[in-house]
Amino acid sequence: MTTLLYGRPPAVFDPPGDAVQTSPLIPGSPPLETVTEGSADAAMVYAPPGVLERRRVLALALKALKPGGRLTTMAPKDKGGSRLKKELATFGVEVAEDAKAHHRRCVVIRPDALAPEAEAAISAGDLHLVEHLGAWSQPGVFAWDRIDAGTALLAQILPPLKGAGADLGCGYGALSTVVLRSPAVANLRLVDLDRRAVEAARRNVEDPRASFEWADARNVTENGDLDFIVMNPPFHDGGAEDRRLGQAFIRKAAGMLRKGGVLWLVANRHLPYEAELGEAFKRVTPHGEGAGYKLFEAVR
């Protein structure tokens, strides 16, 4: 029996331990879109909050099921759960719904055929060229259809960098594109937890000096040999604010940099990163604030 899993549902929903994980946020997981159509017996989806992303995932999960296969999906009521039943119904399926642990849960048995809206939902949520950005991106990627304000601020103050570097939490590659304008950059590692972001960055950053890693930046190897790191670190985990994420990114950057190497960091103004920077780096220079963000240069 083949069971698919997408995301990390709360334990109260008894996620299957032997399921094939397909989340783009869990490195090494096979993409849901590559699962053979009609091959799975069951699927459990912890539905993401974004509408386009969520509809695509639900449609892909239904498509992967055999006729008669069972889809179980859930989401917090205020993060898409209240819309699950209606969204699923547009795919031409019967939906059973209940409430549990502040979530809405829906169960669907895959019919022989899905409504055309399922393929339309998959297409709408796919990787595509965002015309007004002039860049490839995908719903679900951080700031997928815009230039994040913090990234834009950091890009404005970055001096021409040189040597070997990394962009931790690279997204679809907006900041890396700016970094690579400097001919003195020897190479640049683009690292992101989101497989979709890495795939988009591969298309957007067509530079032989760039390399791409689908990985949790907190777990990458520390060789202490980089000349610079740029980052706009995340501070949400599973939808909840977690300041430890950014603090872990700062410690990781310190371990990856050589003595004298520099970290360029942008962060939301309310986040308490100063102490972590002071402990991990020899010299920390604030570079002002704007639009709710603060900027730092930190020398190892």
Side-chain angles (χ1 to χ4, degrees), residues 4-6 20-25 29-40 45 52-53 55-65 118-119 121-123 125-128 137-139 141 194-200 203 214:
L4 305 176
L5 182 62
Y6 186 97
V20 177
Q21 178 62 255
T22 60
S23 171
L25 302 180
S29 302
L32 183 55
E33 57 267 30
T34 65
V35 176
T36 302
E37 182 174 355
S39 65
V45 172
L52 292 175
E53 178 189 11
R55 284 175 52 81
R56 176 179 184 271
V57 170
L58 294 173
L60 283 170
L62 284 168
K63 188 175 178 181
L65 290 172
E119 285 295 340
I122 293 170
S123 178
D126 272 344
L127 177 69
H128 64 277
S137 190
Q138 184 172 355
V141 172
D194 192 331
R195 172 180 48 77
R196 300 163 300 184
V198 175
E199 291 173 355
R203 297 207 184 200
W214 177 25

Side-chain angles (χ1 to χ4, degrees), residues 46 48 63 78 80 114 121 130 172 176 214 219 238-239 298:
Y46 195 52
K63 188 175 178 181
D78 59 347
L114 298 172
V130 181
Y172 61 80
S176 292
W214 177 25
N219 297 331

Side-chain angles (χ1 to χ4, degrees), residues 36-92:
T36 302
E37 182 174 355
S39 65
D41 299 285
M44 179 176 282
V45 172
Y46 195 52
V51 174
L52 292 175
E53 178 189 11
R54 182 173 61 248
R55 284 175 52 81
R56 176 179 184 271
V57 170
L58 294 173
L60 283 170
L62 284 168
K63 188 175 178 181
L65 290 172
K66 300 173 182 176
R70 176 188 177 104
L71 168 64
T72 304
T73 182
M74 69 291 297
K77 294 177 183 179
D78 59 347
K79 294 181 179 178
S82 62
R83 302 178 183 178
L84 279 176
K85 183 176 181 179
K86 184 176 181 180
E87 290 175 345
L88 284 164
T90 66
F91 301 150

Side-chain angles (χ1 to χ4, degrees), residues 208-232:
R209 295 171 293 168
S211 60
F212 305 87
E213 300 172 42
W214 177 25
D216 186 332
R218 295 170 294 179
N219 297 331
V220 299
T221 303
E222 299 178 14
N223 291 325
D225 59 353
L226 295 184
D227 299 295
F228 68 87
I229 289 175
V230 297
M231 64 184 188
N232 180 2

